[in-house]
Structures are given as C-alpha cells and as structure tokens.
Amino acid sequence: MSARDRILGRISRALQHSQPAAIEAHLAAHPRGPLPPRPHDLIARFKERALLLSSDILHADSLAQVPAVLAAYLRERGLPAQGVCWPAFARLEWSSAGLQIQARPAHGQDLVGITGAFCAIAETGTLMTLSGAETQASASLLPETHFAIVQTARIVATMEDSWDLLRKEQQRLPRAINFISGPSRTADIEQTVTLGAHGPYRVVVVLLSS
Amino acid sequence: MRVGLFFTCLVDAMRPRIGFATISLLEAAGCEVSVPQTQTCCGQPGYNSGDRKTSQALALKFLTEFEGFDYVVTPSGSCASMIRVHYPKLFQDNPAVLARIAPLSLRTYELTDFLLNIAKLENIPGQFRGSLTYHDSCSGLRDLGVQKQPRALLAKMPGVAIQEMQESTTCCGFGGAFSVKFGDLSARMADNKCTHIEAAGTDAIVGGDLGCLLNIEGRLRRRGNHKTQVLHIAEVLADQEGDA
Amino acid sequence: MQVASIHFKRNATAKLNDENLQQALARLQTRFVGGRAAVIGEIAELEETRTAAAAIRDRVLQNLDQWLSHFEQQATARGATVHWAESGADVNRIVAEIAVRHDVRKAAKSKSMVSEECGLNEALEAQGIEVIETDLGEYILQLAHEAPSHIVAPVVHKNREEISDLFAEKHRLPRKTGISELCREAREILRPQFLAADMGISGANFLIAETGSALIVTNEGNGRLVTTLPRVHVAITGIEKVVPTLEDVSTLLRLLPRSATGQSITNYVSILTGNKGAADHDGPEHFHIILVDNGRSSLLGGEMQPMLRCIRCGACMNHCPVYQNIGGHAYGWVYPGPMGSILTPTFVGLENAPDLPNASTLCGACAAVCPVKIPLPDLLRQLREKQMALGMKPWPERAALKLWSWLALHPAAYALTTKIAVRALFLAGGTEGLLHRLPGASGWTDGRDFPAPQGKTFRERYNRAFRENRHGEKRA
C-alpha cells in the first residue's frame, strides 16, 4: 500500500462519508464570495491603491509616447538607461528616447525591466501578469526598476473579475500567474518596512489611455 | 420582574459588598430580587480545567435553583458568559436538558448589560465623585459584548469622569488557575495592565469581574501603589450608604 | 525540529527576563496588531467574509479525500509530480530522492513552516546538498543557527544590532547598521545563489483543486525567484491546504495578508501550474508537489477538525497576551501562540507538551481575530479535558479540583468551609487587608499581593440581614 493510499484511507475513515460530495458542481459554479462595493471610477481607485503600495504612476496617451515617458522618469532619478523588455515592445523607439532596451529575458544584472500586464485590479492596485514565451516572468522580477505598461481599459474591479477575464481569453492557466502589488519589500528586521528585498526597488505603472 | 441574583463564589468569599450593591441596583431598577441560598459556583473553574462532568453537574444545580425566575443577573461577565454561552454547549447531546437550559441561559445577564438594556435604569443612585478608568474583562467583552454598557451607565453619573486607558481590552492575566500555575507570566500581564492604569492617572480602576480586579489590585499594591482605588462597577453605580 | 515544549514553563520565565526580546515583542505588537486594525476595516463585509472563509475551508475538510484527489489529477495533467508524505522523514526522503534524480547540488529555499516540522535542511545537508534559506528572516536564522520564533516574522526576536554583528562576522564585510543597508547586503549575497541554484524549495499557502496549482504569497520576491529560476521546483505543504476554486482563494486572500501583516495584499501572489512550456524562457523543467500529512489527518472527524481551517496568518499569536510577553521560542516547536498550543500537542503528543493547552487565560483575543473563525479557546479546553481524562494533570491540581467539585455540589459544607477560610484569610490580611504570602499559592504571591476578604461571606451577611429584616428591623 502506498503512502497516498494510507493517507487517503485515514482521511476517508475519519470523515465517514455515506456518499461522495458533489465537488464537480462547486467547481462548475465557482461561486464568488462577498465582494467589496464596486468603485465608480476604476482608474481612480487603481491609482489610489497603487500609490499606497509605493508604486509610481506614469501616463501616456499612446504606446509611441512610452519611451520618452520612461526616459524622463529614469533621468530624473539618475537611474541607468539600459534594460530589457517584452517582445511586444521591441519595436518602440527606445534609442531615440536615449534608452538602450533589448527585447530578451532578464538576467541577474539587468537594472530595468519593461513588461505589460494581463490586467490590473482596482481593489488593491495590483498588476496581474501571466508567464509565457512572450511574457517572461523574469523581466518583472530581476531588475531593480520594473515598468509595467497597462491599458486603462484592462483595469478590472476585483481579483474575481480577473478570473472571468482569464477564463474568457485563455485556454488554460499559464505556468505562472504573478499578482504584483508594488516594489518587493521586507519587514523582517525590526518590523521596519524596507523596499527592495529580492525583487524590484521600484514598480512604475505606465497607464495607457485607450 | 422577578430576578434571581447569582452573586458568584468570588463575591461571596471576597467582596460581599458587591453583592449588596448589586441588590440595591436591581431594586432601584424596580426588580424584585431573590437570592437562592444553595447557590455555590457556576462551574467555570472545572470547565476551564478540563472537568466537564463537574461543570455539567453544577449547571444542572443552577438550573433547579434559577429556572423559576424571569431573569438571572450576576455581577460578573465571566460567570454570565459561562451560563449564557457555555452551558448550552455542555448539553449538546442531551436535548431534554438543553430544552430547559438554553432558554434559561438567554434569560441570564451580566449586571450592566441587564441594567442598561433590560431594566433600563435611568437614575444611577451612586454618589462616586472622581476620575476612573475601565478595564474590559475578557469573557464579558468577547462572549457577551459588554463594553458600552458600563460606560453608558457611568456617563449618567454627574460626578464621574472616565479616562480611557491604553489597551483596556487586553487581558489582565488573571485566567483563574492560570494566575497560580503560570504565576510570573500572569503577574507580568497584570503589571502591563497596571502600567496602563497608572498612565491613565485616575482615582480608580473599575471593572465588572472580581477575579480581574483582585489580580489588578494585588499587582498595584505590590508595585507600591496604595492610592488607586480598585472598584467593581456595582460599587460605583450603587449608593454605598446603607450597604452591609 | 526537536520538540522542547516540555520545558515551556522554565523557558517562558527566561523569556520574561530577556530585555532584547521584550523590546522586539513590543515592536511586533505595534506593527502587526496596529497594522491589522488599520486595514481589516477595508473589507466592507468583514463578518460575512470571515464566515465565507470558514465555510470554504470547511467545504474542503468535509471531503478532503475527494478534493485532494481532484487536485492531484489536475496537477498531474499539467505535468507536475505529486508526492504523498506521511511523516517528516518521508518528506526528507522524497526531497532527497528528487535532488538525486535531477543531479541537484544547491537548493534555494523560500520560507516553509512544514519543512521546519521535518528538519529538512539538516536532512539535505547530510546528503551533501547545500541549502540556502532566502527569506531574509530565515536566512538570518540559518546564519545564526536558530529556529524561527514566529510563523510570519521568523526573526522577530532579534534586533538590528545582533543582525549587524552576525552579517559582519559571516559575510566578512564592513559592519553595517542601517536596516536598508543590511537588506541590500543580503540581497547582493543571495542574488548569485538564486541564479546558481539547481532546485528551488518553497511551501504553498494554498493548493487550488480547480487548476492543480500551488499558490504562494510573499513580499520579498524570493518566493518568485526560487520558483522561477532553478531547473527544479519542489513545493511542500500540508494536505489541508487545498481550496476548491480561484474564486474561493480570492476570498481567503482578502483576509490572509490583512490578518497577517496588516497589508491589503502581499507584494506577490504567485499561482504556479505545471512545468515550463517548450517555448518558455523561465520556470522549472520539473515541478514536484509534496502533500504532507505528518499528523494532520488525525485531527479530522473529531473535535479538533476546525484547527485544520488554519491559513497560518499568525494573527492569533500577534494578539495573544501570552505570546506578546514571551515570544515564540518558549513554545518549544515550530508553531507558537494559540494555534501552536493546539497543533503542537496534537502533532507531537500531549505528553510532550502538557503545559501548552493550559498556557492561556482563554481571553478569546485569538478567536476574535481569526480570519477563519477557529474557536481556539474551545479547542484549548478540549485538550484540557483530554488531559483530565487521561490522568495527565498533576496530582495537586486533581486533588484541588476534586475538593472544589465536592464542595460546590454540597451547599451546606460549602457555606461552612468558605466561612472558615474567609475568616482565616481576613485575619491573615491584618489591618492592611493584604496577604504578601499565601502557602500553596506562591505562583500568585511571588509577583502580587493577595487582597484579603472582608471577614464574613456574602451568604452570612445576607442571611443575617434577611433575618433582621424579618424581625422588623432595618436592614444593616
């Protein structure tokens, strides 16, 4: 008898089922729990919460504006102008904005990572990213500064709404879904919050008006 | 209304004047008060020590003594919670007893809860003048929701100034047998409480459970504080003149 | 991990006198208790949400075998390998086998309390596998060879000075004192370790049955790194951590970080499903999930079952006045505070942790904040009843309870005994009305005076007053 059989056997003996539960019905219905009231203005709510998480917010009217907006942000803070981006942004005019951006997965030494997002969640000011061949998880993780380009039309109210969107648009779950809520942080030393633990020191959301 | 007074084992042994204060408050609220003489203890010490059998026996004894009253009132959130919240749990597999004890449980009240919400006492007879801070004892607070009641009653007394302490809802460390078994831990918790009491700087610390008050008084005096009065809420609310 | 819970009393006393620890605990209380209070109200329907969260956990526990099977099926379909471990030793053996199979020399680990149950690091090191803890707190503890003292903030018992000394000694770098400098130093030391690790080891906060995924919440990003960079990822978690759907887990996530650290959401919530795809640049080639029993199934079907709802937020310990005064190490095993006082005796044996169920005033602060409404005081009482039934209580306590119980059930004898005792204590109290020592109750009188009674019992006075009243006299 395997450990699996022994564990499952102990569980079913302890629970003394008369008949199997309708777990399929619950899975099919996947009901929502209590939800917060839906904000009137999803964008305003997202911005407010993202700022509370110590994210920075930038605006761009079009994708073409993004390189200049990012370059200004980096220049103002004296941050390096080199980094990596997702392939979707490979063709933006990075070099004319004074940036050296390569469309490749991030390495340990890369200091700037530019990604998109599957959607963003207004309730908590959170970015939702899906890993994939064209959407590498490392770009939002290894660099010290993470820029995420988010279309305002992709801001949803709650995590529950993000599941609806995911089920509608994706066949199945990607290897990794990462909900990102601000720069990495730790409070392990004297319970004092310090930004930039193992992940980015800065998360910058670039809101793209649709 | 006919009210049975459950005076509690601690009041019986340690501070009889709280019992008399309770009677006078109930009478001031227009109640007809009876005091069953065979009452002893609600059974909580046994219940919290793992002696379920004795607590069941004492719950049955309580049932025969108090079943006939419209209400049962006790000057202790802890005992009231034992009766109101825990008695029914002791008889989950005994529907005959449960059918009798559950309604009695619901007719059992902590004193300030009863005075404010059931008897609707308007004129507080007490003459206390000075500042006081209130300690919220755990069972009354978290099992019965006793928090606003004592403060609302005190607010009706013109001579009383309430100064809230920090962490008034944190346990004082009494915990019955805990206070002896884990003496130094219990004393530390009492000490923390005393620090908050002294920081509030009031004439008196007031509470609704004698166990906590003895713990607090014991620690205050050991710290060398012989000034801060330690009073049960009934003593403050009642007219002390004419009490035994 | 060695169980030292038998020494609770002695250790608690030592902790009360540890100045550094006392300061650290005061900080913890401010940050975590204050933090939770500041954000828990953001949940519009808090009570409804707690009730829903408890129901989600109960739904799983009531049919745990089915949910586990479904999870296994989904995870396997996505290419993960699911292992079952009955004990800590099983976990260590399985992880070592995985390491050998994939030729692993170095493992980077993010925080896992289940692995602390097993003593996994020591076991892997004995097999020649280097293990690096990457959660900052756990890393500090690994350097210091100490055990965590809190399930969320493992190194809460250490202050900045101690950590500065430790880093200077172990890293052989100039001593730094600023918290952000210390964090930067740890980041720079650990980054190459992540990149060089062959295997990542993590826990899992939840397992999602619907999708066969493991969910991890972290703030530092180390959880993401160890599950993204190495070739192999092993997630180790308890069998009770299954949650049915993505919606169910969303409900729990509203409560978990708010209850734990006072955050509306943790920095990262990662949902990991299956292996790296053919075109993917990152992610592990091999994903192993170890489902650990190690005593959990023994809680099912009995009075202790609600304890398996626990989502390991630590709110019960943060709000526990006992934990607040002694910290986690005194509890003597992996899980401290109220949840630990229930889990430790049930996992390692009541006889090995006899004080833990009693080391509580049953004040109820834990149950009031528990996001999944575990009736912790009731469960502690159940364990006390078990101790009583098994004759595990010390004889003086049993004798005292017997005497009390007999007297309380015999009112006449009770009245007489209290009358005599009260008289004696009254006299002993003298004019001051205080007893400085009391035989048999030194636990009380070592740190407190005992206020003396007033001389006569209420019963005596009431009867006298009642008699006098009947004779037409004014009541005294």
Side-chain angles (χ1 to χ4, degrees), chain A:
Chain A
M1 205 186 222
S2 67
R4 176 187 191 275
D5 297 339
R6 282 191 296 272
I7 292 171
L8 289 176
R10 270 201 296 278
I11 295 171
S12 66
R13 272 194 305 282
L15 295 172
Q16 294 178 323
H17 296 302
S18 44
Q19 57 189 35
I23 73 168
E24 299 295 342
H26 182 76
L27 288 167
H30 52 83
R32 294 176 167 200
L35 294 172
R38 196 184 157 83
H40 297 298
D41 184 342
L42 288 177
I43 300 171
R45 167 78 186 187
F46 173 82
K47 288 196 322 204
E48 177 202 330
R49 299 303 301 192
L51 290 171
L52 277 177
L53 298 168
S54 308
S55 296
D56 287 328
I57 306 258
L58 301 177
H59 296 271
D61 291 331
S62 69
L63 211 46
Q65 280 188 3
V66 169
V69 169
L70 267 52
Y73 179 94
L74 291 168
R75 203 168 43 241
E76 279 163 23
R77 286 161 185 75
L79 295 169
Q82 302 85 32
V84 298
C85 71
W86 280 0
F89 307 117
R91 312 188 74 170
L92 296 187
E93 298 287 338
W94 298 111
S95 50
S96 47
L99 301 176
Q100 290 164 264
I101 302 297
Q102 297 179 320
R104 58 163 173 81
H107 301 313
Q109 294 75 31
D110 290 319
L111 294 171
V112 173
I114 302 164
T115 74
F118 175 73
C119 69
I121 297 166
E123 180 186 356
T124 46
T126 298
L127 302 166
M128 180 185 188
T129 63
L130 313 183
S131 75
E134 305 284 300
T135 54
Q136 303 92 1
S138 54
S140 65
L141 180 60
L142 293 171
E144 294 194 358
T145 305
H146 169 211
F147 290 101
I149 302 166
V150 180
Q151 301 226 0
T152 50
R154 298 291 288 184
I155 298 176
V156 299
T158 60
M159 191 178 275
E160 284 84 346
D161 284 350
S162 79
W163 301 134
D164 284 354
L165 204 56
L166 187 76
R167 288 191 180 102
K168 200 170 93 192
E169 297 182 0
Q170 303 279 316
Q171 298 295 312
R172 59 176 204 171
L173 255 59
R175 182 197 66 78
I177 298 172
N178 285 299
F179 291 98
I180 300 171
S181 304
S184 74
R185 68 192 67 200
T186 179
D188 272 346
I189 303 178
E190 296 193 347
Q191 273 56 62
T192 302
V193 176
T194 308
L195 296 184
H198 295 299
Y201 283 80
R202 286 162 292 274
V203 169
V204 187
V205 183
V206 187
L207 288 177
L208 204 59
S209 315
S210 323

Side-chain angles (χ1 to χ4, degrees), chain B residues 46-65:
Chain B
Y47 182 61
N48 285 349
S49 298
D51 184 357
R52 197 179 176 87
K53 274 219 179 76
T54 302
S55 40
Q56 282 169 331
L58 286 168
L60 289 173
K61 178 172 166 298
F62 177 90
L63 182 64
T64 57
E65 288 159 351

Side-chain angles (χ1 to χ4, degrees), chain A residues 3 7, chain C residues 68-69 71-72 82-87 91 94 114 207 235-242 289-294:
Chain A
I7 292 171
Chain C
L68 280 168
S69 301
F71 169 78
E72 182 186 37
V82 176
H83 307 259
W84 301 73
E86 290 187 271
S87 64
V91 173
I94 293 167
V114 178
L207 301 169
I236 307 169
T237 199
I239 50 172
E240 82 285 14
K241 289 291 182 66
V242 190
I289 301 169
I290 307 180
L291 305 174
V292 185
D293 185 339
N294 204 26

